[in-house]
Amino acid sequence: MHITRYTDYSLRVLMYLAVKGEALSTIKEIADSYQISKNHLMKIVQQLNSKGYVIATRGKNGGLRLNGKPEDINIGVLVRDIEQDLTLVECFGEGNTCVITPACQLKTVFAEALECFLQKLDQYTLADLLPQHQQAKFVQLINLN
Amino acid sequence: MHITRYTDYSLRVLMYLAVKGEALSTIKEIADSYQISKNHLMKIVQQLNSKGYVIATRGKNGGLRLNGKPEDINIGVLVRDIEQDLTLVECFGEGNTCVITPACQLKTVFAEALECFLQKLDQYTLADLLPQHQQAKFVQLINLN
DNA sequence: TTAAAGATGCATGTAAAATACATCTTTAAA
DNA sequence: TTTAAAGATGTATTTTACATGCATCTTTAA
């Protein structure tokens, strides 16, 4: 069971921007800091922008900043929004071929469990991922590499 | 976010055997009923056998039966046991390269959410997946195909 | 002794995800 | 007004986990 890198990287970008505050950060800068693919990050940022999580400014001296305060960005909401495919088991999806589906509670049970998972994430915001007392360390880590 | 077919099929096999009761079922029979790969099922059954969920009898007139009562097979326990890789995000795993891990709460938060997911599954057993009143329907479905 | 069952190891196929590449658009500074 | 630095977008390629196939071995009851 995995979350895609796509969602993982989305969260990392938002954390980066949260620490940066009002200052703009470029995609290249973020990709370099995290040592991950700039190309992949572009797609991610594009989506974060279109969904309103970040504000992207094009052109020279452009860059990214967080849209809103870290305390207002909920992790559960974000994951529901970004993680592309939450079809936990085959019978969740469109192309389900499982013959017993009409007589089986698997779907119900897993749907409940997924909801529990997401509700736990609903209890946290971006601010919780970066406690105040660890922000200095965070800055160190992203500058060192 | 997905559970592997491996785990999905494991659950289906156990449900099949639960309905069959004391009678033995062969892998071929189960694969045919569900219209899934017999080869893949063999691997799955082998693991279910080695982990003690089923009892496999080799040789002529052999087959499979459930080891224990459906009420005693817990879904959460099973998923923890069978689902190969519960590293939800990169920082859960061995080869983690995320530079901010030491200053980041992501791991903690997702670990909590995963635990909620599994604890919800802990509330159900194999018997709950197949309510008594749907067993007749179940039998119909696996024989029709 | 033979046929029907599961066990095992290795090879291959497949689809989703990740990444790369190329080109376009926007914008501020020189 | 041109140029360079930024993001936007679409297509192609690579990678990887997962699923499946195939061949051979072992067990066991008829």
Side-chain angles (χ1 to χ4, degrees), chain B residues 75-140:
Chain B
I75 306 300
V77 172
L78 185 89
V79 168
R80 275 180 259 247
D81 207 13
I82 301 288
E83 180 70 9
Q84 346 236 1
D85 188 357
L86 288 173
T87 60
L88 256 191
V89 279
E90 190 189 341
C91 52
F92 275 45
E94 297 262 307
N96 177 29
T97 62
C98 181
V99 296
I100 59 170
T101 303
C104 170
Q105 291 303 113
L106 193 71
K107 189 176 173 180
T108 317
V109 167
F110 272 87
E112 266 187 48
L114 177 59
E115 201 44 39
C116 282
F117 175 84
L118 293 168
Q119 278 172 10
K120 173 53 72 175
L121 295 182
D122 284 339
Q123 297 174 12
Y124 295 101
T125 72
L126 189 56
D128 298 314
L129 297 183
L130 286 165
Q132 203 67 46
H133 70 278
Q134 289 186 317
Q135 292 210 7
K137 193 171 191 182
F138 186 99
V139 170
Q140 264 192 336

Side-chain angles (χ1 to χ4, degrees), chain B residues 63-83:
Chain B
L64 313 165
R65 63 189 174 81
L66 210 57
N67 187 13
K69 286 179 292 183
E71 307 85 80
D72 297 333
I73 298 180
N74 183 284
I75 306 300
V77 172
L78 185 89
V79 168
R80 275 180 259 247
D81 207 13
I82 301 288
E83 180 70 9

Side-chain angles (χ1 to χ4, degrees), chain B residues 51-65:
Chain B
K51 299 217 173 200
Y53 291 102
V54 306
I55 293 168
T57 309
R58 285 181 171 199
K60 204 159 183 174
N61 296 336
L64 313 165
R65 63 189 174 81

